[in-house]
Amino acid sequence: MPISAEKGSVLNLDSLLAALVLGARQTAAGWQILAGRCLYFVLLMVVISALWDKVAADQVVGAVRLPGDLALYVGATEWITLSIPAFHSILEGEIRSGRLETHLLRPKGYFPLSLAQAYGGSLVRLGALGLTGLAMLAVSGRTWPPLEGFAFLAVLGLGGLAVGLLLYALAGLAAFWTRRVLPFQLVIQKLMFLLGGLFAPVTLYPAWLSDFSQGTPFAAHLYWAGRQMLEPSLPSFLQGLVWQGVWIGLLTMACAGLWSAGEARVLREGGV
């Protein structure tokens, strides 16, 4: 049944900040789940570190030269990836169940507030996983990257988090038309592996693929932040910052467009 709601709902910075704080508090309250995620991070890094250490130790003449300690690079990319909630599943559930329609009747915008809430929760995960990563590095005996690398990583980590959240939001908003968003989520996830350089920097690829990858949202999500653990430098930091700014802007506009079209469909047809 069609529903009616006044479009152009009220939204301001205070509302977004309140949603962000709510998300952070909810995630912190679920500390048991957070601890489990940190434990998974530890186990994952133990396996991946052993793999890359073995590859580095057994390099043969003529093989591609590895750029430094890749365990540190993967630690940074996994730090960002594991901080992001399953935002696409949340959107899918709200849209498919019809619960979204009640949100549309409220004076506040559902999508931007949900996005802010998810980002708040992600920040708490980012902090907990970051401390876990530093503790692992301290006991590993590995050489620490320069301090400026951590400063660059902290900033690019926040930007990469936003890019990743927006990418998954795009997948979730597809539920307005497809009901199931798993195929979109899987495509995005695999592109994060390939073009984002989740397990290996994209500079190991052939030149044409490396150049292409560095300009994608997936590299803005992971690669530019992870690179600071291998070759921290102000130029690469600024380059990563620019790409993140570009993709945050473009993805925000894409999400806003999809949300507006999906909301109009629900208001017109009464559900999906």
Side-chain angles (χ1 to χ4, degrees):
M1 176 182 295
I3 62 174
S4 61
E6 189 173 336
K7 299 190 72 174
S9 50
V10 178
L11 192 65
N12 53 40
L13 187 60
D14 289 343
S15 301
L16 292 173
L17 184 59
L20 187 143
V21 172
L22 175 63
R25 288 179 173 174
Q26 286 177 331
T27 303
W31 62 268
Q32 301 94 335
I33 300 174
L34 193 59
R37 191 175 288 246
C38 291
L39 178 60
Y40 175 72
F41 184 38
V42 172
L43 296 175
L44 185 67
M45 288 311 303
V46 167
V47 174
I48 294 177
S49 298
L51 172 65
W52 274 124
D53 288 346
K54 182 67 175 174
V55 171
D58 292 344
Q59 278 217 292
V60 298
V61 176
V64 175
R65 188 175 66 85
L66 298 181
D69 192 343
L70 289 181
L72 298 180
Y73 170 85
V74 178
T77 58
E78 288 290 351
W79 168 60
I80 298 171
T81 297
L82 293 178
S83 297
I84 296 179
F87 189 50
H88 57 287
S89 298
I90 297 172
L91 289 175
E92 182 192 53
E94 293 288 305
I95 294 170
R96 288 184 58 205
S97 66
R99 292 193 298 270
L100 178 67
E101 296 180 14
T102 58
H103 294 303
L104 298 183
L105 298 173
R106 295 174 180 171
K108 303 291 185 183
Y110 168 79
F111 179 69
L113 289 180
S114 298
L115 194 63
Q117 186 175 347
Y119 194 75
S122 299
L123 290 178
V124 173
R125 295 188 189 89
L126 200 71
L129 291 170
L131 292 175
T132 303
L134 289 175
M136 282 192 291
L137 182 57
V139 301
S140 68
R142 296 177 184 276
T143 302
W144 286 63
L147 285 179
E148 64 265 28
F150 287 106
F152 294 153
L153 175 63
V155 175
L156 293 176
L158 294 174
L161 199 67
V163 173
L165 201 55
L166 287 167
L167 284 170
Y168 280 116
L170 280 179
L173 290 173
F176 278 120
W177 295 272
T178 64
R179 292 181 60 83
R180 296 282 186 182
V181 303
L182 180 61
F184 300 98
Q185 181 251 323
L186 290 176
V187 169
I188 289 174
Q189 187 181 63
K190 298 305 175 285
L191 288 175
M192 285 178 179
F193 277 86
L194 178 65
L195 302 179
L198 178 62
F199 288 152
V202 298
T203 48
L204 292 178
Y205 300 161
W208 68 269
L209 183 56
S210 174
D211 293 342
F212 173 76
S213 299
Q214 291 179 40
T216 65
F218 309 101
H221 172 41
L222 296 174
Y223 166 70
W224 288 107
R227 175 174 174 164
Q228 303 309 314
M229 289 290 94
L230 297 175
E231 301 168 335
S233 69
L234 184 59
S236 70
F237 166 71
L238 294 176
Q239 195 174 358
L241 210 57
V242 168
W243 278 120
Q244 288 185 345
V246 167
W247 282 111
I248 287 173
L250 291 175
L251 291 172
T252 299
M253 288 190 289
C255 284
L258 279 180
W259 170 257
S260 180
E263 182 185 31
R265 185 184 184 196
V266 170
L267 295 175
R268 183 177 63 251
E269 302 176 8
V272 295

